[in-house]
Amino acid sequence: MVKNYAVFDFGKSFYQDKYVIELIFEKLPVSISLGVFSTLLIYLIAIPLGIRKAVKHGSKFDIATSWFLTVSYAIPAFLLAIFLIIIFAGGTYFDWFPLKGLTSDDWAFYPWWKKILDYLWHLVLPVFAMTIGGLASLCFLTKNAFLDELSKNYVRTAKAKGLTQHKILYRHVFRNAMLIVIAGFPAMLIGMLFTGSVLIEVIFSLNGLGLLGFEAVQNRDYPVVFGTLYLFALLGLILNLISDFVYTLVDPRIHFDKRMS
């Protein structure tokens, strides 16, 4: 088994009469599309917003955004997805976005630029549903990390030297505060890729890895269960290694060679 798994030979599915690796490769583009786009949006929105909240701590902006983030965190992603379908996907009011799938039925006949637009158009609602719920934790984590750094002596020294707020935030505070944010990146991406997208895949009829693993557990399709778990664990380890490497880029004080010696 170990030898087979080392070369990604997980055997055949009990129910679908296909090799597990074939099933994984079939479903992988859907999960990658949802997970990568959702994670990127969460980081691109939450980090600048968290920094802004730290700078404006206690202001009306900070209080208003905290209320919004708390409410968005409390709404389950699947419930928001249903609401989006009712409002924007022809359920009751508007018919602006497609109801299911990642591409239109005649997608193969589109020119390349229209294929890209159609693909992104289908991603809007599921990615939005996954992004909204994930903003709060990362935004508050970023804010608290920056608040902690802004109260330290080196920030007061930098202000006394006449450095602008922008230089203080992004040349000094940013590197120290972002370490804890970077540490959570692998877990968030893995969660978005697989566990967090299961219900979203069901609601929007997106056949991805999360749904594949869920159905395999229900049907006791053990080769698929072990194959998907192996892939999740492997990707988690790789992402953790990448996260450790990024530490050294963000903060030059971290040097693994020196720790080993």
Side-chain angles (χ1 to χ4, degrees):
M1 180 179 176
V2 172
K3 180 181 176 181
N4 291 336
Y5 274 39
V7 294
F8 299 98
D9 181 9
F10 308 121
K12 263 191 171 183
S13 168
F14 290 162
Y15 293 91
Q16 301 192 47
D17 195 30
K18 285 186 178 180
Y19 287 101
V20 175
I21 193 66
E22 292 179 8
L23 290 172
I24 289 174
F25 277 118
E26 285 179 7
K27 318 299 183 185
L28 197 57
V30 175
S31 296
I32 289 178
S33 298
L34 292 175
V36 171
F37 280 108
S38 300
T39 305
L40 284 177
L41 277 177
I42 288 172
Y43 269 77
L44 288 174
I45 296 172
I47 290 177
L49 182 59
I51 296 172
R52 186 68 176 173
K53 285 172 65 63
V55 174
K56 299 289 185 181
H57 179 61
S59 66
K60 291 182 179 179
F61 172 80
D62 181 37
I63 295 171
T65 51
S66 294
W67 273 99
F68 169 77
L69 291 170
T70 303
V71 171
S72 67
Y73 182 74
I75 300 174
F78 74 91
L79 186 62
L80 178 59
I82 295 172
F83 175 78
L84 292 173
I85 288 174
I86 294 173
I87 300 297
F88 299 109
T92 303
Y93 300 97
F94 305 104
D95 191 11
W96 292 350
F97 296 98
L99 183 60
K100 62 180 182 178
L102 276 184
T103 56
S104 300
D105 295 334
D106 52 351
W107 182 82
F109 302 101
Y110 290 168
W112 66 269
W113 59 268
K114 195 172 181 180
K115 286 183 178 181
I116 296 174
L117 291 177
D118 182 75
Y119 166 75
L120 295 175
W121 181 49
H122 280 74
L123 279 176
V124 170
L125 293 186
V127 168
F128 182 81
M130 293 177 64
T131 301
I132 291 298
L135 285 174
S137 56
L138 182 61
C139 186
F140 286 126
L141 180 65
T142 304
K143 176 191 172 182
N144 293 334
F146 269 78
L147 281 177
D148 183 55
E149 292 297 323
L150 287 172
S151 63
K152 292 184 177 178
N153 290 329
Y154 75 89
V155 175
R156 299 190 186 98
T157 303
K159 288 180 180 178
K161 290 181 177 179
L163 293 180
T164 63
Q165 187 182 61
H166 184 274
K167 288 183 178 180
I168 294 172
L169 283 175
Y170 293 101
R171 288 190 181 181
H172 300 280
V173 176
F174 186 83
R175 287 185 172 182
N176 298 326
M178 286 302 294
L179 290 176
I180 191 171
V181 177
I182 292 172
F185 178 78
M188 176 174 286
L189 182 55
I190 288 294
M192 286 292 179
L193 279 173
F194 308 115
T195 57
S197 62
V198 175
L199 291 176
I200 299 297
E201 289 176 7
V202 174
I203 292 169
F204 288 98
S205 300
L206 302 172
N207 204 358
L209 276 179
L211 183 58
L212 175 68
F214 177 72
E215 290 178 342
V217 171
Q218 283 187 318
N219 297 326
R220 297 186 180 181
D221 195 349
Y222 297 118
V224 176
V225 172
F226 292 147
T228 52
L229 286 176
Y230 176 83
L231 182 66
F232 300 165
L234 182 63
L235 286 175
L237 290 172
I238 292 172
L239 288 171
N240 275 317
L241 288 173
I242 294 173
S243 179
D244 290 340
F245 175 71
V246 173
Y247 283 159
T248 63
L249 298 179
V250 175
D251 191 347
R253 295 174 300 175
I254 298 176
H255 200 292
F256 298 117
D257 292 337
K258 291 181 180 179
R259 290 182 62 85
M260 292 296 292
S261 61

